[in-house]
Amino acid sequence: MTEMRIAATVPVELGQRRYDISIGSGLLPNAAELLSGQLGRKKTAIVTDANVAKHHLETLLISLDAANIKHSAIIMTPGEATKSYAGLAEVCDKLLAAGIERKDHIIALGGGVIGDLAGFAAAILRRGVNFIQVPTSLLAQVDSSVGGKTGINSPHGKNLVGAFHQPSHVLIDLDLLKTLPMRQRAAGYAEIAKYGLLGDQPFFNWLEQNVEVVLDCAQGAVDHAVRVSCETKARIVTEDETEMGVRALLNLGHTFGHALEASTGYSDTLLHGEAVAIGMVQAFRFSEMQGLCAEGTADRVAKHLARSGLPTHVSSITTTLPAPAEMVEIMRQDKKASAGKLTFILTRGIGEAFIAKDVSDNAVVEFLKKDMQQK
Ligand SMILES: NC(=O)c1ccc[n+]([C@@H]2O[C@H](COP(=O)([O-])OP(=O)(O)OC[C@H]3O[C@@H](n4cnc5c(N)ncnc54)[C@H](O)[C@@H]3O)[C@@H](O)[C@H]2O)c1
Ligand SMILES: [Zn+2]
């Protein structure tokens, strides 16, 4: 059996729905043992995608077989398009065909697409089935697998149909990142940097020293980055599970970023993390323009993100973007707009983000005119 090393266990304290995030290496080959407390009924269904299945499904199956846990696997087409009504119907019907009952567990083995889709299927199948997250992309390990937001996209927009459904365990095996393409690692890194930028300057300083080793998945560095990210997200989610307040800070760079993603059709032209990287730099530049934050801060953020290979300015987007006023309209349609006013996460410096609910459309349009012309 592969040697296992647990680097950290992060609790997510949500009363009766509390669960642990286990972070380490060699965890997938030992999954049945690690999940023995959960997989009591000896039956499970794995939802994954074809890319992840190729590299990692066999390892999980061997572990389950050794523990005599019956399993079936549902292998979906990789990509955002799978997070759809059709994808949901396919997963639900296959889970029912596999005889999954309320007390059984569904294992989501994949990136954020699989986690969101399988999690939502678990939330609604038989009015709620248990599920376990085994995130395989860096983005899923530091962000989407923690916090209980599940859902699919509608033709009206991203993540518009969903539910809060907490997993019963999150198993983060850092070894799985070794097969993740570098562009996807960088996209996940944007969310790691976000945790420093929103509220933890010492962590951002540490990232400035360690970005390359984190992206290289070097032991010691990647564990630290993933642990701090999960701890931060867990703390914020515990305080505000359903995003009535402080959880909105996690949207740093996302109001700008979502508008860019929507403008590029949620395609491979611009990955979510790439849009967030550009959006975070825009949030800092906008904060500078409003006199909230010292000049030069946005440049420091941009320089750092660029080292991970992330884009930091709209000029790196190859497709034509809508005009500034139209971009603001797109932001307005985002679910984060409430009662007509746009909510932005602005900042007074690195690690000092705050929720700004009264930003005028005009100020944003003026900023975008300036920002989109530069470079
Ligand atoms: N629920 C939340 O709180 C939350 C938060 C952030 C993002 N999200 C959602 O997450 C999704 C994006 O997640 P993502 O970036 O993981 O995308 P993804 O699931 O599409 O994974 C990215 C790509 O990497 C591949 N992949 C994943 N793990 C791999 C591995 N170990 N080796 C090789 N290839 C691997 C996948 O097949 C896919 O092609 C979006 O739908 C977004 O809305 C949800
Ligand atoms: Zn994000």
Side-chain angles (χ1 to χ4, degrees):
M1 206 175 274
T2 316
E3 203 182 317
M4 174 167 73
R5 186 183 60 88
I6 295 188
T9 303
V10 179
V12 185
E13 299 295 353
L14 290 168
Q16 288 194 326
R17 284 165 295 111
R18 80 163 302 288
Y19 57 95
D20 284 331
I21 306 168
S22 308
I23 303 167
S25 42
L27 304 197
L28 192 65
N30 295 284
E33 185 193 325
L34 284 162
L35 300 172
S36 60
Q38 274 94 43
L39 298 173
R41 299 240 312 183
K42 303 272 179 198
K43 184 154 113 212
T44 186
I46 301 153
V47 182
T48 188
D49 76 22
N51 292 338
V52 177
K54 185 173 69 188
H55 296 293
H56 305 295
L57 181 58
E58 182 77 18
T59 310
L60 177 57
L61 298 185
I62 291 171
S63 170
L64 296 173
D65 282 339
N68 284 322
I69 295 166
K70 283 204 204 106
H71 50 75
S72 45
I74 300 168
I75 302 174
M76 305 297 290
T77 307
E80 189 69 31
T82 290
K83 240 178 80 173
S84 61
Y85 287 114
L88 180 70
E90 182 180 341
V91 170
C92 286
D93 283 330
K94 286 185 172 165
L95 289 168
L96 291 170
I100 291 298
E101 293 176 24
R102 251 181 131 168
K103 291 210 167 114
D104 294 324
H105 275 79
I106 295 167
I107 300 178
L109 174 72
V113 163
I114 290 300
D116 281 11
L117 175 67
F120 187 40
I124 59 175
L125 195 85
R126 300 188 184 277
R127 300 195 178 81
V129 180
N130 303 306
F131 89 114
I132 290 161
Q133 291 268 21
V134 185
T136 61
S137 69
L138 187 56
L139 184 129
Q141 295 193 343
V142 299
D143 189 357
S144 62
S145 69
V146 178
K149 278 191 186 175
T150 71
I152 56 168
N153 306 323
S154 139
H156 291 278
K158 248 188 84 136
N159 299 326
L160 291 180
V161 178
F164 285 97
H165 188 52
Q166 299 292 346
S168 51
H169 200 122
V170 181
L171 207 72
I172 300 183
D173 187 339
L174 302 163
D175 290 345
L176 308 186
L177 299 174
K178 288 176 188 152
T179 57
L180 187 70
M182 199 41 102
R183 186 179 173 201
Q184 295 288 350
R185 289 191 206 177
Y189 185 81
E191 304 281 3
I192 294 179
K194 181 187 77 178
Y195 294 114
L197 292 172
L198 72 86
D200 190 345
Q201 178 163 25
F203 181 52
F204 186 76
N205 295 344
W206 181 88
L207 289 172
E208 285 185 315
Q209 304 299 317
N210 290 283
V211 48
E212 285 85 8
V213 275
V214 170
L215 285 168
D216 232 19
C217 301
Q219 193 176 314
V222 72
D223 327 21
H224 181 70
V226 172
R227 179 173 63 76
V228 173
S229 300
C230 288
E231 280 172 353
T232 308
K233 182 148 187 193
R235 196 179 61 241
I236 292 174
V237 167
T238 306
E239 244 176 87
D240 178 20
E241 188 180 357
T242 53
E243 199 167 317
M244 308 305 283
V246 66
R247 188 165 179 167
L249 288 176
L250 295 171
N251 295 326
L252 174 63
H254 282 61
T255 306
F256 287 117
H258 281 158
L260 296 172
E261 275 187 282
S263 309
T264 48
Y266 301 103
S267 63
D268 280 354
T269 308
L270 189 70
L271 300 178
H272 173 73
E274 294 169 341
V276 168
I278 297 173
M280 289 194 294
V281 175
Q282 287 182 312
F284 273 84
R285 290 208 192 286
F286 184 50
S287 300
E288 280 186 21
M289 197 169 142
Q290 302 293 303
L292 293 162
C293 162
E295 268 185 41
T297 318
D299 281 344
R300 180 178 164 193
V301 173
K303 200 171 143 211
H304 176 66
L305 295 172
R307 274 172 64 200
S308 68
L310 284 163
T312 58
H313 188 262
V314 290
S315 56
S316 57
I317 299 171
T318 48
T319 54
T320 311
L321 290 172
E326 217 180 307
M327 292 288 276
V328 172
E329 260 326 293
I330 296 173
M331 292 176 195
R332 191 166 281 302
Q333 283 155 23
D334 193 2
K335 66 182 188 306
K336 268 123 206 163
S338 67
K341 273 276 180 195
L342 284 170
T343 297
F344 279 86
I345 309 305
L346 299 183
T347 174
R348 297 191 177 89
I350 287 170
E352 296 179 70
F354 65 94
I355 302 163
K357 291 202 165 148
D358 50 359
V359 177
S360 83
D361 283 14
N362 225 3
V364 183
V365 171
E366 286 311 308
F367 163 73
L368 286 177
K369 275 186 191 161
K370 198 166 154 240
D371 188 61
M372 289 170 81
Q373 270 168 12
Q374 265 163 7
K375 280 211 185 160

